[in-house]
Amino acid sequence: MMTADTLTSQQQAQEARRRAFVARMREISRRIFTYALMSFIGFLFLFPIIFMVVAAFKPNDRVIADLSSFAALLPNFETFTLDNVNDVFSRVSFDQYMFNSLFLTLVTVIVGLFVNSMAAYVLARMRWVGRAVILSLVVSLIIIPLEAIAVPLMMMVNNMGPFVNLVVLFILIVITLMGWNVIWNAVASMTENLSRTLPLPVHFALQVVLTILLTLPLTVLIYFMIGQIEKGGTWLNSYHVQILPFIAEPFSIFLFYQFFINIPKDFDEAAYVDGADNFRIYWQIIVPISRPVFATVAILKFLQFWSFYLWPLMVTREDTYRPLMVGMDFFQTQAPIRWGSIMAYAAMVTIPVLITFLLFQKWFVQSVSSSGVKG
Amino acid sequence: MRLFFQNNLTGRKGRDLLAVLVMGGPAFLLLAIFMIWPFILGIDLSTTNQRFDGAQASDIGTRNYERILGVGIGGLPPKPEVFPDSRPGVGWYLDNQGKADFRWRTRGIDDLDEIWEGLENWRGYEVMSVFSIGSNEYAIFARDPLFWRSLRNNLAFAAFVVPVQTALALMLAILINQKLPGMNVFRTIYFSPVVTAMVIVAVVWAFLYNPRFGLINQMLGVLSIGPFDWLQHPASALPAIMIMSIWQGVGFQMVIFLAGLQDIPEDLYEAASIDGAGVVHKFRYVTLPMLRNTTIFVVLTTTILAFRLFDQINVMTPDGGPASSTATMVWYAIRRGWRESEIGYASAISVVFVVIVLMISLVQRVFVKSESALD
């Protein structure tokens, strides 16, 4: 009896162990399968990018010769060369394009953040006559895509009347003055610690220099605009034609609005009762607690304007004002077609953005997922 | 005067009003100048024959719209017993392969009504396609076949890309959402095409699609599929662009689905498990209903993006592809308005485009309404 019992319990234990083993094997094989599937999908997503980067640093004749094997996707350090990169620089003004793209994107995004968030503040946290009308107008403007108004907009900017020119210039100057104010104060608080060690005039000079430097893009823009207005009515072929129409954007205002409207009233009530003016409340209370939505809008707009193609294609005629994407479009059809150089161009545009993405990927993913939350 | 200012601009209310004007003014004015005004201008221009080069424009009423939307089906004359030896101006003939073909050239033919009764109504139209019901031959006549081809391509693009991209995005999101180590790496990989600019992606893929050297044909060749002509063949050009667009865009949708998945409370799944639901049932009765809003959002944005399709088309097939198989509405409007400087006509196409986009948004409104009515 005893032996039989032990046998059964032994058998039971064995059976249980066997089952656990099977379950574990099943789990492991399921995992292996999952990882294999996901790696394969990952390969499908990565191979064009890998190919581009590898081909960019290969001698041009190897680019096509390697295609028949996996060598197309493998970096070869023996044949590493910068010929393609040099070829790009010698045939097109890549540095000019790069500067243009950076300048246009940064100014549009940063000024857009400022202008759109202020508009959203006015809509979300102030009561005024006509607020509801403007709000519904802004929201309904979201569905009008740029593509739908591109043609009449091109017609319009080609022949800007003096009145519209003055209005736009005035808006730009107002934005710049507010920007000066903000940056002046920000620089002051940044250099506050320094001011104890520095003599007052030096501190003041530092503040002036930093403010001028930080608002330089806007000042340059105003300078260019005045020059263009003097030359004649057309805005075509300039920086401001690629910036000003896109500073105010309904979707950005909407994203800011959604965030601001959910901030509890007691955050700014006290300041309001104390008589703090609205700009102060906006800048010192609302903006600091709204960092996530600022990051969201900044990243979405950055991706949008970095790859902006349709409008710059329509309004630029010279290399001086062309951004990278339009330059790429012309470069890829410019004889002689050297695929190595084209891939080098593509890689030089993509790698900086990919690195930025890898560094801030949490923010990127967050901004995309919060763009989908619709109230 | 002093009193007026004191009451209106120095009091609390006055200062609030000033803040609305200064803080909200720039954005609202810029939106009015660069979105609302061109939109109205576009409607206005669409009734003229305005050209970009400044030639005198005149009001032509709804003629642009008649030209764009002019389409109809008409019976064709019966095939003759004996086909003419040479191609006639209008009528049936045998092409080189001995196939009966209908030729249509209304320009320069005054006595059309004498050739065949019933065809005189189609003066100024082109034959878009010929089909037969029973023994009768019919043709679709259109005054601007390229517009209808563009619309059809947009519809085909939406019909394929929207369901496939949405399903793939959901599948990837579910894969990534597993609680296994290393999922962040895969998320980063699947998302990386999104941060690569579309123009760059299009140029790189144009090379990958190259029939002779392209990596895609080489890889498919290993599986002994192909080779395909991809962008050079009317049947495969649009699918090629569809595949590439899905590759570039699916990561964006995936992240939105991922956010939706992570919002589903865990206890719903536990409750389903207790009820004995398997993986399939959990997906069908928990995941899908909970993702309803997200799915509507993803479907809507993808559909609108499908109608806004331009960058890829213009980079990969600048002339609209073989047999205009990749022409899209935006591409066509930009071509007429920018390249051929027919502003009036292009504005009319843009207006039709806006109406379509508005209708899609309205359909989405209805869906969201019906859903909130269910709650």
Side-chain angles (χ1 to χ4, degrees):
Chain A
M1 276 303 263
M2 277 280 280
T3 37
D5 253 4
T6 13
L7 252 179
T8 16
S9 67
Q10 253 175 11
Q11 274 173 340
Q12 268 171 356
Q14 222 166 20
E15 178 67 17
R17 234 178 295 142
R18 201 185 64 86
R19 274 207 194 140
F21 179 73
V22 168
R24 242 191 86 188
M25 279 331 263
R26 193 173 284 164
E27 177 58 28
I28 287 175
S29 58
R30 205 181 68 85
R31 276 195 184 196
I32 290 175
F33 174 75
T34 309
Y35 280 116
L37 176 70
M38 292 183 80
S39 306
F40 175 70
I41 299 173
F43 169 76
L44 292 184
F45 275 100
L46 275 189
F47 86 87
I49 298 175
I50 295 176
F51 169 73
M52 169 185 86
V53 176
V54 168
F57 301 105
K58 233 180 220 180
N60 191 48
D61 51 328
R62 294 303 311 162
V63 173
I64 286 175
D66 282 351
L67 275 175
S68 51
S69 66
F70 266 98
L73 297 176
L74 296 176
N76 189 343
F77 295 103
E78 280 161 34
T79 60
F80 177 87
T81 171
L82 285 176
D83 284 355
N84 297 325
V85 177
N86 293 331
D87 185 54
V88 170
F89 276 99
S90 69
R91 274 168 57 201
V92 288
S93 32
F94 185 84
D95 40 353
Q96 177 79 50
Y97 296 155
M98 184 59 103
F99 170 79
N100 292 346
S101 267
L102 281 174
F103 178 77
L104 294 169
T105 311
L106 289 182
V107 172
T108 317
V109 171
I110 293 171
V111 178
L113 283 178
F114 188 48
V115 168
N116 291 323
S117 63
M118 279 197 303
Y121 171 85
V122 164
L123 285 172
R125 304 203 68 83
M126 290 178 74
R127 297 283 164 269
W128 41 284
V129 185
R131 190 191 77 95
V133 178
I134 302 265
L135 178 62
S136 56
L137 200 63
V138 168
V139 171
S140 56
L141 280 180
I142 292 176
I143 42 180
I144 297 183
L146 164 74
E147 287 84 348
I149 55 168
V151 170
L153 187 62
M154 181 180 73
M155 189 75 200
M156 190 181 112
V157 295
N158 181 41
N159 201 356
M160 277 291 210
F163 176 69
V164 185
N165 262 329
L166 279 181
V167 171
V168 174
L169 197 61
F170 176 72
I171 297 171
L172 201 57
I173 290 172
V174 168
I175 296 171
T176 312
L177 287 178
M178 280 193 282
W180 268 343
N181 177 23
V182 163
I183 290 172
W184 178 261
N185 290 333
V187 171
S189 60
M190 250 162 39
T191 51
E192 212 164 54
N193 297 331
L194 283 176
S195 69
R196 292 192 196 101
T197 52
L198 287 173
L200 195 64
V202 178
H203 177 239
F204 186 73
L206 192 70
Q207 207 171 343
V208 171
V209 169
L210 274 176
T211 308
I212 289 175
L213 268 183
L214 288 173
T215 50
L216 195 61
L218 272 176
T219 321
V220 168
L221 204 62
I222 292 177
Y223 172 77
F224 271 119
M225 227 187 113
I226 293 173
Q228 195 97 5
I229 292 170
E230 276 179 345
K231 261 195 280 169
T234 181
W235 275 27
L236 294 190
N237 221 8
S238 65
Y239 284 126
H240 54 271
V241 77
Q242 298 176 68
I243 294 176
L244 292 177
F246 309 106
I247 286 180
E249 205 228 0
F251 189 58
S252 306
I253 298 181
F254 178 70
L255 285 176
F256 281 122
Y257 173 85
Q258 269 193 320
F259 195 92
F260 292 168
I261 200 94
N262 287 324
I263 298 174
K265 196 81 199 132
D266 20 315
F267 266 87
D268 51 352
E269 190 91 295
Y272 190 84
V273 171
D274 283 352
D277 66 81
N278 281 289
F279 188 76
R280 239 185 130 81
I281 297 176
Y282 157 78
W283 186 251
Q284 294 189 337
I285 299 175
I286 301 295
V287 173
I289 55 174
S290 307
R291 292 231 172 89
V293 69
F294 274 87
T296 299
V297 175
I299 286 169
L300 288 177
K301 283 201 103 180
F302 172 79
L303 287 179
Q304 183 190 344
F305 288 108
W306 181 255
S307 55
F308 207 16
Y309 169 65
L310 167 65
W311 183 250
L313 177 72
M314 288 169 75
V315 296
T316 54
R317 303 271 146 90
E318 291 166 27
D319 276 355
T320 330
Y321 301 107
R322 246 175 218 153
L324 284 167
M325 300 306 151
V326 183
M328 167 101 262
D329 192 23
F330 282 91
F331 186 58
Q332 66 144 348
T333 52
Q334 200 182 78
I337 292 175
R338 287 176 88 245
W339 280 103
S341 309
I342 295 174
M343 293 301 140
Y345 190 122
M348 282 192 287
V349 176
T350 310
I351 290 173
V353 183
L354 275 180
I355 290 174
T356 317
F357 163 60
L358 289 176
L359 290 177
F360 300 101
Q361 55 154 313
K362 225 180 170 172
W363 286 101
F364 271 74
V365 170
Q366 172 127 42
S367 68
V368 168
S369 47
S370 53
S371 80
V373 183
K374 279 207 132 184
Chain B
M1 197 66 192
R2 232 194 114 149
L3 253 170
F4 173 82
F5 273 117
Q6 264 178 357
N7 282 344
N8 286 287
L9 289 179
T10 54
R12 179 85 241 186
K13 268 205 170 143
R15 273 198 291 155
D16 278 2
L17 187 67
L18 194 68
V20 169
L21 287 178
V22 173
M23 292 171 71
F28 302 143
L29 266 176
L30 285 172
L31 283 182
I33 295 172
F34 292 111
M35 276 194 88
I36 300 174
W37 179 239
F39 185 69
I40 296 167
L41 187 69
I43 297 174
D44 187 36
L45 284 171
S46 71
T47 63
T48 66
N49 58 0
Q50 178 77 48
R51 288 186 60 82
F52 189 67
D53 38 30
Q56 200 62 42
S58 59
D59 197 338
I60 56 167
T62 57
R63 287 236 303 275
N64 281 333
Y65 292 103
E66 283 161 24
R67 237 171 92 198
I68 294 170
L69 301 173
V71 70
I73 296 174
L76 289 182
K79 285 181 197 165
E81 305 267 313
V82 181
F83 285 91
D85 290 335
S86 59
R87 285 170 158 221
V90 177
W92 291 100
Y93 70 100
L94 287 178
D95 67 7
N96 293 338
Q97 275 88 43
K99 217 179 88 211
D101 217 340
F102 190 76
R103 188 176 156 105
W104 179 261
R105 213 190 73 221
T106 52
R107 211 173 294 156
I109 296 176
D110 298 321
D111 50 351
L112 199 62
D113 41 341
E114 283 172 24
I115 302 176
W116 276 299
E117 217 166 295
L119 284 182
E120 70 274 9
N121 294 338
W122 302 114
R123 193 186 298 277
Y125 283 71
E126 284 176 49
V127 172
M128 207 155 65
S129 64
V130 176
F131 61 96
S132 59
I133 299 173
S135 59
N136 295 329
E137 303 280 341
Y138 296 89
I140 300 176
F141 294 90
R143 291 184 68 178
D144 188 353
L146 193 47
F147 171 77
W148 291 98
R149 227 164 273 148
S150 306
L151 179 59
R152 189 199 61 192
N153 290 339
N154 273 127
L155 289 172
F157 190 91
F160 181 76
V161 169
V162 173
V164 171
Q165 188 168 332
T166 309
L168 276 178
L170 181 56
M171 190 197 89
L172 292 178
I174 289 172
L175 278 178
I176 298 262
N177 203 29
Q178 295 175 98
K179 282 166 194 64
L180 293 177
M183 287 300 126
N184 276 354
V185 177
F186 288 110
R187 189 191 63 189
T188 307
I189 291 174
Y190 300 169
F191 193 76
S192 52
V194 177
V195 299
T196 315
M198 186 45 101
V199 172
I200 304 298
V201 170
V203 170
V204 172
W205 277 71
F207 187 38
L208 297 179
Y209 276 138
N210 188 309
R212 270 181 65 212
F213 314 116
L215 199 58
I216 290 180
N217 269 354
Q218 306 276 3
M219 292 201 299
L220 290 177
V222 176
L223 309 169
S224 48
I225 309 172
F228 298 106
D229 278 340
W230 293 116
L231 296 169
Q232 270 78 39
H233 194 277
S236 57
L238 193 59
I241 293 181
M242 288 173 182
I243 294 170
M244 184 205 74
S245 306
I246 292 174
W247 176 85
Q248 200 263 349
V250 73
F252 198 95
Q253 267 54 333
M254 173 194 78
V255 167
I256 290 176
F257 270 126
L258 201 56
L261 282 176
Q262 282 160 357
D263 279 348
I264 302 178
E266 199 58 41
D267 29 323
L268 280 183
Y269 287 109
E270 281 162 22
S273 301
I274 293 167
D275 290 345
V279 179
V280 178
H281 276 86
K282 274 190 212 165
F283 176 74
R284 172 69 188 80
Y285 294 104
V286 179
T287 312
L288 276 188
M290 290 301 286
L291 285 179
R292 202 198 134 119
N293 266 350
T294 316
T295 314
I296 291 176
F297 175 78
V298 167
V299 167
L300 174 86
T301 44
T302 321
T303 314
I304 288 182
L305 280 178
F307 279 88
R308 292 172 58 182
L309 188 63
F310 174 80
D311 292 6
Q312 305 94 301
I313 304 293
N314 204 52
V315 171
M316 296 173 99
T317 56
D319 48 0
S324 21
S325 55
T326 62
T328 62
M329 270 193 292
V330 172
W331 172 85
Y332 186 44
I334 300 302
R335 184 193 177 87
R336 292 302 282 260
W338 175 63
R339 217 170 275 255
E340 294 166 13
S341 77
E342 295 174 65
I343 299 285
Y345 196 69
S347 298
I349 299 172
S350 302
V351 170
V352 176
F353 167 68
V354 170
V355 170
I356 293 174
V357 170
L358 282 181
M359 283 191 321
I360 298 169
S361 307
L362 284 182
V363 169
Q364 183 254 1
R365 284 276 162 82
V366 173
F367 265 105
V368 172
K369 280 250 172 70
S370 71
E371 188 249 4
S372 51
L374 276 175
D375 283 342

